[in-house]
Amino acid sequence: MEILKNKNIIITGGSGGIGKATAKLFLAEGAKVMLVGRKEDKLKSAIKELNTKNVSYCIADVTKIEDTKKYTEATLEKFGHIDVFFNNAGVEGSVKPIEQYPETDFDNVIAVNLKGVWLGCKYVIPKMKDGGSVMITSSVAGLKGFSGLGAYVASKHAVVGIMKVAAIEFAIVVLGLIPFTLDQ
Ligand SMILES: NC(=O)c1ccc[n+]([C@@H]2O[C@H](COP(=O)([O-])OP(=O)(O)OC[C@H]3O[C@@H](n4cnc5c(N)ncnc54)[C@H](OP(=O)(O)O)[C@@H]3O)[C@@H](O)[C@H]2O)c1
C-alpha cells in the first residue's frame, strides 16, 4: 500500500540513523523525501543507499536562518508542496557533569536541538498551506534527567514545549478553527 503517495516530506538529520531509517519507510509508502544535513558526503551516501528518484537532498545547517529558508525553498522548488515535516536533526554533545561542561558544547547542543527545531517550525510550518503533519524528535531525555547530559536533557525537554506551542498555534491558525490569541 502506498499511503503516502503524493506526500512530500522534509527530514532534517536525514543522513543520520533515525532520519535515514524513517526516509526508507516513507519512500516505501510512496512519498517524496528531502533529506537535510550539513555534510554532503553523508547525504550522498544516504541517497545512494535509498536508491530511488523520489529522494533528494539539501545541504543546510539547521541552526542558521538562511539555511532553514534554503531547505524549505529547495523542497518547494523540487516537489511543489510540503505535507510532512520531520524536525529531527540533533546532537548529543559532551557527556560531562554541569560543573565541567564546556560552554561552547552547551551552546552548540542548544543551537542544533532547540534553535534548529524552533527555526524549522518558524519557517516550514507556515509553508504547509494545506495542513499536514509535523514531528519533532525529543528523547527519553526530554522526560527525565541523565547525569552528564545537562545540555542534551535541557534541549530535549525544551522541544517538548515547542511542540505543544506549535500544536496550539498552527492547529488554530492553519486550520482556521478559532482566531489565534496569545492566551490560548
Ligand atoms: N539514536 C538514539 O538513540 C536517539 C534517542 C533519542 C533521541 N534521539 C534523537 O533523534 C534524532 C536523530 O538522532 P540519530 O540517532 O539519527 O543521530 P545521528 O545518526 O547522529 O544523526 C544526526 C543527524 O543530524 C544532522 N545534523 C546534526 N547537526 C546538524 C545541523 N547543525 N544542521 C543540520 N543537520 C545536522 C546530521 O547530519 P550532518 O552531520 O551532516 O550535519 C545527521 O544527519 C536527534 O534529535 C537525537 O537527539 C536519538
Side-chain angles (χ1 to χ4, degrees), residues 8-12 26 32-36 71-72 75-76 79 82-87 124:
N8 304 325
I9 299 174
I10 296 176
I11 304 178
T12 67
F26 285 154
K32 292 194 175 70
V33 175
M34 177 66 76
L35 306 178
V36 177
Y71 77 69
T72 308
T75 308
L76 289 170
F79 298 145
I82 301 163
D83 303 287
V84 178
F85 177 38
F86 187 22
N87 205 347
V124 178

Side-chain angles (χ1 to χ4, degrees), residues 61-154:
D61 182 339
V62 297
T63 68
K64 296 187 164 52
I65 293 172
E66 288 312 319
D67 283 23
T68 307
K69 292 178 180 169
K70 177 181 153 187
Y71 77 69
T72 308
E73 293 307 322
T75 308
L76 289 170
E77 209 166 286
K78 180 89 187 163
F79 298 145
H81 57 96
I82 301 163
D83 303 287
V84 178
F85 177 38
F86 187 22
N87 205 347
N88 164 70
V91 291
E92 186 176 89
S94 306
V95 182
K96 288 192 169 81
I98 291 170
E99 63 180 326
Q100 290 162 23
Y101 206 89
E103 186 181 354
T104 49
D105 283 21
F106 180 87
D107 287 345
N108 185 50
V109 170
I110 295 299
V112 179
N113 297 5
L114 176 52
K115 187 178 176 191
V117 163
W118 177 76
L119 283 172
C121 289
K122 184 173 172 62
Y123 289 106
V124 178
I125 303 176
K127 300 288 184 184
M128 298 167 71
K129 296 198 186 304
D130 297 324
S133 299
V134 178
M135 290 162 285
I136 295 174
T137 312
S138 179
S139 167
V140 66
L143 301 171
K144 56 180 270 195
F146 288 94
S147 170
L149 286 176
Y152 187 75
V153 166

